[in-house]
Amino acid sequence: MKRLGINIDHVATVRNARGSLHPNPLVAAKYAMKCGANSITIHLREDRRHINDFDVIKICKDKKILVNLEISLNDKILKIALKNKPNYICIVPENRKEITTEGGLNLTKNKNKIKNIILKFKKKKIRTSLFIDPNLKDIRLSKELQADCIELHTGKISELIKKRKNFVKEHIKIKKCCKLARALDLEVHAGHGLDYKTTKLLSKIKEIKEFNIGHFIIGESIIYGFKNIINKFKKIFNS
Ligand code: PXP
């Protein structure tokens, strides 16, 4: 069975748009787990544009939530992650001006730093994952750095599919990466830009064990949650 991790960062984006407490990411995390999510992903960004320190504390404390905390290589973020002991961590690159995580980690440039971070989490028995672009060199490096899992950045294939461009080359590349990763005993995850169509295609790859999806699920939930909420208001009018 494949696992579905739900990234709830954008629940915090909506909350922050009003500077209030609603919608509450902790409530969203609990409810997503109740609805069948296998884990909850949150990304504590250095600029705190969505999830904040208080969210991390609250969500990590709730033992009913399996938390996958995304962190950059920043020392302060690392300290917060070690203190809050999420179930899993995923190391991601961070670039100030990006709208979202645009690409995978530069493993070659940050080899020693990443290895040290992985060791720190291993000591606490926290599963480690590296968010990388689909290329064979980074898969081998991930193994060398002793990561437990790799998460393949699916942004490129998702964009190609959405723009109805030829995605065959990227699809083959992803499949080769998955095979090599499994041969090296790395667990394979996939995430970024996924929707129904891209997930349907990639879920045929048997080596991919976990999908982490955020923006599309939150967007769909906003629209298709309307019915339930409108009915609640109608009941209030008539009560
Ligand atoms: N996986 C990782 C490592 C990410 O950084 C993100 C985006 O924050 C996602 C998955 C989810 O991507 P999306 O919001 O495009 O579904």
Short mmCIF file of all heavy atoms in Angstrom, two decimals, residues 34-93:
data_model
loop_
_atom_site.label_atom_id
_atom_site.label_comp_id
_atom_site.label_asym_id
_atom_site.label_seq_id
_atom_site.Cartn_x
_atom_site.Cartn_y
_atom_site.Cartn_z
N LYS A 34 -7.57 11.71 10.75
CA LYS A 34 -8.84 11.00 10.97
C LYS A 34 -9.46 10.58 9.64
O LYS A 34 -10.11 9.53 9.54
CB LYS A 34 -9.79 11.96 11.73
CG LYS A 34 -10.87 11.25 12.49
CD LYS A 34 -11.64 12.23 13.33
CE LYS A 34 -13.02 11.69 13.59
NZ LYS A 34 -13.91 12.68 14.15
N CYS A 35 -9.24 11.40 8.62
CA CYS A 35 -9.82 11.11 7.29
C CYS A 35 -8.97 10.12 6.49
O CYS A 35 -9.29 9.83 5.34
CB CYS A 35 -9.97 12.39 6.49
SG CYS A 35 -11.19 13.51 7.16
N GLY A 36 -7.85 9.65 7.04
CA GLY A 36 -7.10 8.62 6.34
C GLY A 36 -5.71 9.01 5.87
O GLY A 36 -5.01 8.19 5.24
N ALA A 37 -5.27 10.24 6.14
CA ALA A 37 -3.89 10.60 5.77
C ALA A 37 -2.94 9.71 6.56
O ALA A 37 -3.23 9.34 7.71
CB ALA A 37 -3.64 12.07 6.11
N ASN A 38 -1.84 9.34 5.95
CA ASN A 38 -0.87 8.50 6.66
C ASN A 38 0.15 9.33 7.44
O ASN A 38 0.78 8.82 8.37
CB ASN A 38 -0.14 7.59 5.67
CG ASN A 38 -1.10 6.66 4.97
OD1 ASN A 38 -1.45 6.85 3.82
ND2 ASN A 38 -1.60 5.67 5.70
N SER A 39 0.34 10.56 7.03
CA SER A 39 1.22 11.46 7.78
C SER A 39 0.90 12.89 7.38
O SER A 39 0.18 13.12 6.41
CB SER A 39 2.69 11.14 7.52
OG SER A 39 2.97 11.24 6.14
N ILE A 40 1.45 13.81 8.17
CA ILE A 40 1.23 15.24 7.91
C ILE A 40 2.58 15.90 7.71
O ILE A 40 3.49 15.75 8.54
CB ILE A 40 0.51 15.90 9.13
CG1 ILE A 40 -0.87 15.25 9.36
CG2 ILE A 40 0.41 17.41 8.95
CD1 ILE A 40 -1.88 15.42 8.25
N THR A 41 2.70 16.60 6.60
CA THR A 41 3.95 17.33 6.35
C THR A 41 3.75 18.80 6.68
O THR A 41 2.74 19.40 6.31
CB THR A 41 4.37 17.18 4.87
OG1 THR A 41 4.71 15.82 4.63
CG2 THR A 41 5.56 18.04 4.53
N ILE A 42 4.74 19.35 7.39
CA ILE A 42 4.77 20.79 7.62
C ILE A 42 6.18 21.29 7.35
O ILE A 42 7.15 20.58 7.61
CB ILE A 42 4.33 21.19 9.06
CG1 ILE A 42 5.06 20.34 10.12
CG2 ILE A 42 2.83 21.07 9.23
CD1 ILE A 42 4.76 20.77 11.57
N HIS A 43 6.27 22.48 6.81
CA HIS A 43 7.59 23.04 6.47
C HIS A 43 7.77 24.32 7.27
O HIS A 43 7.07 25.31 7.04
CB HIS A 43 7.63 23.32 4.96
CG HIS A 43 8.94 23.83 4.46
ND1 HIS A 43 9.18 24.08 3.13
CD2 HIS A 43 10.09 24.13 5.11
CE1 HIS A 43 10.41 24.52 2.98
NE2 HIS A 43 10.98 24.58 4.17
N LEU A 44 8.68 24.28 8.23
CA LEU A 44 8.99 25.49 9.01
C LEU A 44 10.02 26.28 8.19
O LEU A 44 11.21 26.00 8.24
CB LEU A 44 9.54 25.14 10.40
CG LEU A 44 9.79 26.35 11.29
CD1 LEU A 44 8.48 27.02 11.71
CD2 LEU A 44 10.60 25.98 12.53
N ARG A 45 9.53 27.23 7.43
CA ARG A 45 10.44 28.02 6.58
C ARG A 45 11.17 29.07 7.41
O ARG A 45 10.65 29.55 8.41
CB ARG A 45 9.64 28.71 5.48
CG ARG A 45 9.37 27.81 4.29
CD ARG A 45 8.78 28.61 3.16
NE ARG A 45 8.76 27.83 1.95
CZ ARG A 45 9.71 27.86 1.02
NH1 ARG A 45 10.75 28.68 1.15
NH2 ARG A 45 9.64 27.11 -0.05
N GLU A 46 12.35 29.42 6.94
CA GLU A 46 13.14 30.41 7.67
C GLU A 46 12.39 31.74 7.77
O GLU A 46 12.52 32.46 8.75
CB GLU A 46 14.49 30.60 6.97
CG GLU A 46 15.39 29.36 7.15
CD GLU A 46 16.53 29.30 6.14
OE1 GLU A 46 17.04 30.37 5.74
OE2 GLU A 46 16.90 28.18 5.74
N ASP A 47 11.58 32.08 6.77
CA ASP A 47 10.83 33.36 6.82
C ASP A 47 9.46 33.21 7.47
O ASP A 47 8.71 34.17 7.57
CB ASP A 47 10.69 33.96 5.42
CG ASP A 47 9.89 33.06 4.46
OD1 ASP A 47 9.31 32.06 4.91
OD2 ASP A 47 9.86 33.37 3.26
N ARG A 48 9.13 31.99 7.94
CA ARG A 48 7.86 31.68 8.63
C ARG A 48 6.66 32.18 7.82
O ARG A 48 5.70 32.70 8.39
CB ARG A 48 7.81 32.32 10.03
CG ARG A 48 9.00 32.03 10.93
CD ARG A 48 9.11 30.56 11.26
NE ARG A 48 9.97 30.33 12.40
CZ ARG A 48 11.31 30.17 12.35
NH1 ARG A 48 11.94 30.20 11.18
NH2 ARG A 48 12.00 29.96 13.45
N ARG A 49 6.68 32.00 6.52
CA ARG A 49 5.57 32.53 5.72
C ARG A 49 4.26 31.77 5.92
O ARG A 49 3.20 32.27 5.62
CB ARG A 49 5.94 32.56 4.23
CG ARG A 49 6.10 31.19 3.63
CD ARG A 49 6.36 31.28 2.15
NE ARG A 49 7.69 31.81 1.87
CZ ARG A 49 8.31 31.62 0.71
NH1 ARG A 49 7.70 30.97 -0.25
NH2 ARG A 49 9.52 32.09 0.51
N HIS A 50 4.35 30.51 6.40
CA HIS A 50 3.09 29.81 6.70
C HIS A 50 3.16 29.18 8.10
O HIS A 50 2.72 29.77 9.06
CB HIS A 50 2.67 28.82 5.60
CG HIS A 50 3.77 28.10 4.89
ND1 HIS A 50 4.66 27.30 5.54
CD2 HIS A 50 4.11 28.05 3.57
CE1 HIS A 50 5.49 26.79 4.68
NE2 HIS A 50 5.21 27.22 3.46
N ILE A 51 3.71 27.98 8.21
CA ILE A 51 3.81 27.32 9.52
C ILE A 51 4.74 28.12 10.43
O ILE A 51 5.82 28.55 10.00
CB ILE A 51 4.34 25.87 9.31
CG1 ILE A 51 3.30 25.00 8.59
CG2 ILE A 51 4.78 25.22 10.62
CD1 ILE A 51 2.01 24.71 9.34
N ASN A 52 4.33 28.30 11.70
CA ASN A 52 5.20 29.02 12.63
C ASN A 52 5.69 28.09 13.75
O ASN A 52 5.29 26.92 13.81
CB ASN A 52 4.49 30.27 13.18
CG ASN A 52 3.24 29.92 13.98
OD1 ASN A 52 3.20 28.90 14.67
ND2 ASN A 52 2.22 30.76 13.89
N ASP A 53 6.52 28.63 14.62
CA ASP A 53 7.14 27.81 15.67
C ASP A 53 6.08 27.17 16.59
O ASP A 53 6.22 26.02 17.01
CB ASP A 53 8.09 28.66 16.52
CG ASP A 53 9.17 29.29 15.66
OD1 ASP A 53 8.82 29.99 14.68
OD2 ASP A 53 10.34 29.06 15.95
N PHE A 54 5.03 27.95 16.87
CA PHE A 54 3.98 27.46 17.75
C PHE A 54 3.24 26.27 17.11
O PHE A 54 2.93 25.29 17.78
CB PHE A 54 3.02 28.62 18.04
CG PHE A 54 2.08 28.35 19.18
CD1 PHE A 54 2.56 28.05 20.44
CD2 PHE A 54 0.71 28.41 18.99
CE1 PHE A 54 1.69 27.80 21.49
CE2 PHE A 54 -0.17 28.16 20.03
CZ PHE A 54 0.33 27.85 21.29
N ASP A 55 3.01 26.35 15.78
CA ASP A 55 2.38 25.22 15.06
C ASP A 55 3.23 23.96 15.20
O ASP A 55 2.72 22.86 15.43
CB ASP A 55 2.24 25.53 13.56
CG ASP A 55 1.33 26.70 13.26
OD1 ASP A 55 0.32 26.85 13.97
OD2 ASP A 55 1.62 27.45 12.31
N VAL A 56 4.53 24.13 15.05
CA VAL A 56 5.44 22.97 15.11
C VAL A 56 5.34 22.32 16.49
O VAL A 56 5.20 21.09 16.61
CB VAL A 56 6.91 23.39 14.82
CG1 VAL A 56 7.87 22.23 15.05
CG2 VAL A 56 7.04 23.90 13.39
N ILE A 57 5.37 23.15 17.54
CA ILE A 57 5.30 22.62 18.90
C ILE A 57 4.00 21.83 19.10
O ILE A 57 4.01 20.68 19.54
CB ILE A 57 5.40 23.76 19.95
CG1 ILE A 57 6.78 24.42 19.88
CG2 ILE A 57 5.12 23.25 21.37
CD1 ILE A 57 6.91 25.72 20.66
N LYS A 58 2.89 22.46 18.73
CA LYS A 58 1.57 21.84 18.95
C LYS A 58 1.41 20.56 18.13
O LYS A 58 0.92 19.54 18.64
CB LYS A 58 0.46 22.82 18.54
CG LYS A 58 0.30 23.98 19.48
CD LYS A 58 -0.52 23.50 20.65
CE LYS A 58 -0.92 24.63 21.56
NZ LYS A 58 -1.45 24.16 22.81
N ILE A 59 1.79 20.61 16.87
CA ILE A 59 1.56 19.45 15.98
C ILE A 59 2.49 18.29 16.37
O ILE A 59 2.08 17.13 16.39
CB ILE A 59 1.69 19.88 14.49
CG1 ILE A 59 0.54 20.82 14.15
CG2 ILE A 59 1.70 18.67 13.56
CD1 ILE A 59 0.63 21.50 12.79
N CYS A 60 3.73 18.61 16.71
CA CYS A 60 4.67 17.53 17.10
C CYS A 60 4.28 16.90 18.44
O CYS A 60 4.60 15.75 18.70
CB CYS A 60 6.10 18.05 17.17
SG CYS A 60 6.80 18.40 15.55
N LYS A 61 3.63 17.67 19.29
CA LYS A 61 3.25 17.15 20.62
C LYS A 61 2.12 16.14 20.53
O LYS A 61 1.98 15.27 21.40
CB LYS A 61 2.79 18.34 21.49
CG LYS A 61 3.55 18.40 22.80
CD LYS A 61 2.99 19.48 23.66
CE LYS A 61 4.12 20.00 24.55
NZ LYS A 61 3.79 21.30 25.10
N ASP A 62 1.29 16.26 19.50
CA ASP A 62 0.10 15.39 19.39
C ASP A 62 0.52 14.02 18.86
O ASP A 62 0.90 13.87 17.69
CB ASP A 62 -0.92 16.04 18.43
CG ASP A 62 -2.25 15.32 18.49
OD1 ASP A 62 -2.27 14.07 18.47
OD2 ASP A 62 -3.28 16.01 18.56
N LYS A 63 0.46 13.04 19.72
CA LYS A 63 0.99 11.72 19.37
C LYS A 63 0.13 10.96 18.36
O LYS A 63 0.53 9.93 17.83
CB LYS A 63 1.22 10.86 20.63
CG LYS A 63 2.34 11.41 21.51
CD LYS A 63 3.66 11.50 20.74
CE LYS A 63 4.63 12.53 21.32
NZ LYS A 63 5.50 13.20 20.35
N LYS A 64 -1.10 11.50 18.08
CA LYS A 64 -1.94 10.84 17.07
C LYS A 64 -1.55 11.29 15.65
O LYS A 64 -2.05 10.76 14.67
CB LYS A 64 -3.41 11.17 17.33
CG LYS A 64 -3.96 10.41 18.50
CD LYS A 64 -5.47 10.51 18.53
CE LYS A 64 -5.99 9.83 19.77
NZ LYS A 64 -7.10 10.57 20.36
N ILE A 65 -0.69 12.29 15.58
CA ILE A 65 -0.29 12.80 14.26
C ILE A 65 1.12 12.31 13.94
O ILE A 65 2.04 12.50 14.74
CB ILE A 65 -0.30 14.35 14.24
CG1 ILE A 65 -1.66 14.89 14.68
CG2 ILE A 65 0.08 14.87 12.86
CD1 ILE A 65 -1.69 16.40 14.92
N LEU A 66 1.28 11.67 12.79
CA LEU A 66 2.63 11.29 12.34
C LEU A 66 3.17 12.49 11.57
O LEU A 66 2.67 12.81 10.49
CB LEU A 66 2.58 10.07 11.44
CG LEU A 66 2.61 8.70 12.10
CD1 LEU A 66 2.52 7.60 11.07
CD2 LEU A 66 3.90 8.52 12.93
N VAL A 67 4.18 13.13 12.13
CA VAL A 67 4.64 14.40 11.56
C VAL A 67 5.93 14.24 10.75
O VAL A 67 6.93 13.70 11.22
CB VAL A 67 4.90 15.44 12.68
CG1 VAL A 67 5.21 16.81 12.07
CG2 VAL A 67 3.73 15.53 13.63
N ASN A 68 5.85 14.74 9.53
CA ASN A 68 7.03 14.82 8.67
C ASN A 68 7.41 16.29 8.59
O ASN A 68 6.70 17.08 7.96
CB ASN A 68 6.65 14.27 7.28
CG ASN A 68 7.78 14.40 6.29
OD1 ASN A 68 8.96 14.25 6.62
ND2 ASN A 68 7.43 14.69 5.03
N LEU A 69 8.47 16.67 9.28
CA LEU A 69 8.87 18.08 9.32
C LEU A 69 9.92 18.36 8.25
O LEU A 69 10.98 17.74 8.24
CB LEU A 69 9.40 18.43 10.72
CG LEU A 69 9.86 19.87 10.95
CD1 LEU A 69 8.71 20.87 10.78
CD2 LEU A 69 10.48 20.04 12.33
N GLU A 70 9.60 19.30 7.36
CA GLU A 70 10.58 19.70 6.34
C GLU A 70 11.44 20.81 6.91
O GLU A 70 10.92 21.79 7.45
CB GLU A 70 9.86 20.22 5.10
CG GLU A 70 9.18 19.16 4.29
CD GLU A 70 8.50 19.74 3.06
OE1 GLU A 70 8.74 20.91 2.72
OE2 GLU A 70 7.71 19.01 2.47
N ILE A 71 12.75 20.63 6.75
CA ILE A 71 13.67 21.65 7.27
C ILE A 71 14.76 21.96 6.24
O ILE A 71 15.14 21.10 5.46
CB ILE A 71 14.36 21.20 8.59
CG1 ILE A 71 15.10 19.86 8.39
CG2 ILE A 71 13.35 21.07 9.72
CD1 ILE A 71 16.05 19.52 9.54
N SER A 72 15.23 23.20 6.29
CA SER A 72 16.37 23.57 5.44
C SER A 72 17.65 23.25 6.21
O SER A 72 17.62 22.63 7.28
CB SER A 72 16.30 25.06 5.13
OG SER A 72 16.50 25.79 6.33
N LEU A 73 18.77 23.72 5.69
CA LEU A 73 20.05 23.45 6.37
C LEU A 73 20.39 24.50 7.43
O LEU A 73 21.47 24.47 8.00
CB LEU A 73 21.18 23.40 5.32
CG LEU A 73 21.01 22.36 4.21
CD1 LEU A 73 22.10 22.51 3.16
CD2 LEU A 73 21.03 20.96 4.80
N ASN A 74 19.45 25.40 7.68
CA ASN A 74 19.67 26.49 8.63
C ASN A 74 19.82 25.96 10.07
O ASN A 74 18.99 25.16 10.53
CB ASN A 74 18.46 27.44 8.51
CG ASN A 74 18.52 28.59 9.46
OD1 ASN A 74 18.37 28.42 10.67
ND2 ASN A 74 18.74 29.76 8.92
N ASP A 75 20.85 26.43 10.78
CA ASP A 75 21.15 25.91 12.12
C ASP A 75 20.00 26.13 13.12
O ASP A 75 19.73 25.28 13.97
CB ASP A 75 22.42 26.56 12.68
CG ASP A 75 23.64 26.04 11.95
OD1 ASP A 75 23.58 24.93 11.40
OD2 ASP A 75 24.66 26.77 11.90
N LYS A 76 19.36 27.32 13.02
CA LYS A 76 18.28 27.62 13.98
C LYS A 76 17.09 26.69 13.75
O LYS A 76 16.45 26.21 14.70
CB LYS A 76 17.83 29.08 13.83
CG LYS A 76 18.83 30.05 14.42
CD LYS A 76 18.28 31.46 14.36
CE LYS A 76 19.38 32.43 14.78
NZ LYS A 76 19.22 33.75 14.16
N ILE A 77 16.79 26.43 12.48
CA ILE A 77 15.66 25.54 12.15
C ILE A 77 16.00 24.12 12.63
O ILE A 77 15.16 23.41 13.18
CB ILE A 77 15.39 25.55 10.62
CG1 ILE A 77 15.01 26.95 10.15
CG2 ILE A 77 14.33 24.51 10.24
CD1 ILE A 77 13.62 27.42 10.49
N LEU A 78 17.25 23.73 12.43
CA LEU A 78 17.71 22.40 12.85
C LEU A 78 17.50 22.20 14.35
O LEU A 78 16.98 21.17 14.80
CB LEU A 78 19.19 22.25 12.48
CG LEU A 78 19.89 20.98 12.95
CD1 LEU A 78 19.28 19.78 12.25
CD2 LEU A 78 21.38 21.06 12.65
N LYS A 79 17.87 23.24 15.12
CA LYS A 79 17.71 23.18 16.58
C LYS A 79 16.24 22.98 16.97
O LYS A 79 15.92 22.17 17.84
CB LYS A 79 18.18 24.52 17.18
CG LYS A 79 19.37 24.37 18.10
CD LYS A 79 19.61 25.69 18.76
CE LYS A 79 21.03 25.69 19.30
NZ LYS A 79 21.44 27.02 19.70
N ILE A 80 15.36 23.72 16.29
CA ILE A 80 13.91 23.62 16.58
C ILE A 80 13.43 22.20 16.26
O ILE A 80 12.67 21.59 17.02
CB ILE A 80 13.12 24.68 15.78
CG1 ILE A 80 13.52 26.08 16.24
CG2 ILE A 80 11.60 24.46 15.93
CD1 ILE A 80 13.01 27.21 15.37
N ALA A 81 13.90 21.66 15.15
CA ALA A 81 13.48 20.31 14.74
C ALA A 81 13.94 19.27 15.76
O ALA A 81 13.18 18.39 16.17
CB ALA A 81 14.03 19.99 13.35
N LEU A 82 15.18 19.39 16.20
CA LEU A 82 15.71 18.41 17.16
C LEU A 82 14.96 18.49 18.49
O LEU A 82 14.72 17.48 19.15
CB LEU A 82 17.20 18.66 17.39
CG LEU A 82 18.12 18.23 16.23
CD1 LEU A 82 19.50 18.86 16.36
CD2 LEU A 82 18.23 16.71 16.14
N LYS A 83 14.58 19.71 18.86
CA LYS A 83 13.88 19.90 20.12
C LYS A 83 12.46 19.33 20.08
O LYS A 83 11.98 18.74 21.06
CB LYS A 83 13.81 21.41 20.41
CG LYS A 83 13.50 21.74 21.83
CD LYS A 83 13.71 23.21 22.09
CE LYS A 83 13.00 23.58 23.37
NZ LYS A 83 12.78 25.01 23.46
N ASN A 84 11.80 19.47 18.94
CA ASN A 84 10.38 19.05 18.86
C ASN A 84 10.17 17.61 18.45
O ASN A 84 9.04 17.12 18.47
CB ASN A 84 9.62 20.00 17.92
CG ASN A 84 9.33 21.31 18.59
OD1 ASN A 84 8.46 21.39 19.45
ND2 ASN A 84 10.10 22.33 18.25
N LYS A 85 11.23 16.95 18.08
CA LYS A 85 11.21 15.53 17.74
C LYS A 85 10.01 15.09 16.89
O LYS A 85 9.13 14.35 17.36
CB LYS A 85 11.25 14.67 19.01
CG LYS A 85 12.51 14.82 19.81
CD LYS A 85 12.57 13.73 20.86
CE LYS A 85 13.39 14.09 22.06
NZ LYS A 85 12.73 14.92 23.07
N PRO A 86 9.97 15.53 15.62
CA PRO A 86 8.91 15.01 14.75
C PRO A 86 9.17 13.52 14.49
O PRO A 86 10.25 13.02 14.82
CB PRO A 86 9.10 15.83 13.46
CG PRO A 86 10.54 16.21 13.48
CD PRO A 86 10.92 16.38 14.92
N ASN A 87 8.21 12.82 13.90
CA ASN A 87 8.45 11.40 13.58
C ASN A 87 9.45 11.26 12.46
O ASN A 87 10.27 10.34 12.45
CB ASN A 87 7.13 10.73 13.18
CG ASN A 87 6.09 10.89 14.25
OD1 ASN A 87 5.37 11.87 14.29
ND2 ASN A 87 6.05 9.94 15.18
N TYR A 88 9.35 12.16 11.49
CA TYR A 88 10.22 12.11 10.32
C TYR A 88 10.74 13.51 10.01
O TYR A 88 10.06 14.49 10.31
CB TYR A 88 9.44 11.65 9.06
CG TYR A 88 8.51 10.49 9.25
CD1 TYR A 88 7.20 10.57 8.78
CD2 TYR A 88 8.92 9.31 9.87
CE1 TYR A 88 6.31 9.50 8.93
CE2 TYR A 88 8.04 8.25 10.01
CZ TYR A 88 6.74 8.35 9.56
OH TYR A 88 5.87 7.30 9.70
N ILE A 89 11.90 13.56 9.38
CA ILE A 89 12.31 14.86 8.82
C ILE A 89 12.65 14.68 7.35
O ILE A 89 13.09 13.61 6.91
CB ILE A 89 13.50 15.53 9.55
CG1 ILE A 89 14.74 14.64 9.51
CG2 ILE A 89 13.17 15.97 10.95
CD1 ILE A 89 15.92 15.42 9.04
N CYS A 90 12.41 15.76 6.62
CA CYS A 90 12.78 15.78 5.21
C CYS A 90 13.61 17.04 5.00
O CYS A 90 13.13 18.15 5.29
CB CYS A 90 11.53 15.80 4.34
SG CYS A 90 11.90 15.84 2.59
N ILE A 91 14.84 16.87 4.57
CA ILE A 91 15.71 18.04 4.37
C ILE A 91 15.47 18.58 2.95
O ILE A 91 15.52 17.82 1.97
CB ILE A 91 17.20 17.67 4.59
CG1 ILE A 91 17.38 17.01 5.96
CG2 ILE A 91 18.08 18.91 4.46
CD1 ILE A 91 18.78 16.46 6.22
N VAL A 92 15.20 19.87 2.89
CA VAL A 92 14.86 20.51 1.60
C VAL A 92 15.73 21.76 1.41
O VAL A 92 16.20 22.33 2.38
CB VAL A 92 13.36 20.91 1.56
CG1 VAL A 92 12.46 19.71 1.75
CG2 VAL A 92 13.04 21.96 2.61
N PRO A 93 15.92 22.16 0.15
CA PRO A 93 16.65 23.41 -0.05
C PRO A 93 15.70 24.57 0.18
O PRO A 93 14.48 24.39 0.09
CB PRO A 93 17.05 23.33 -1.54
CG PRO A 93 16.01 22.49 -2.15
CD PRO A 93 15.51 21.53 -1.10
#
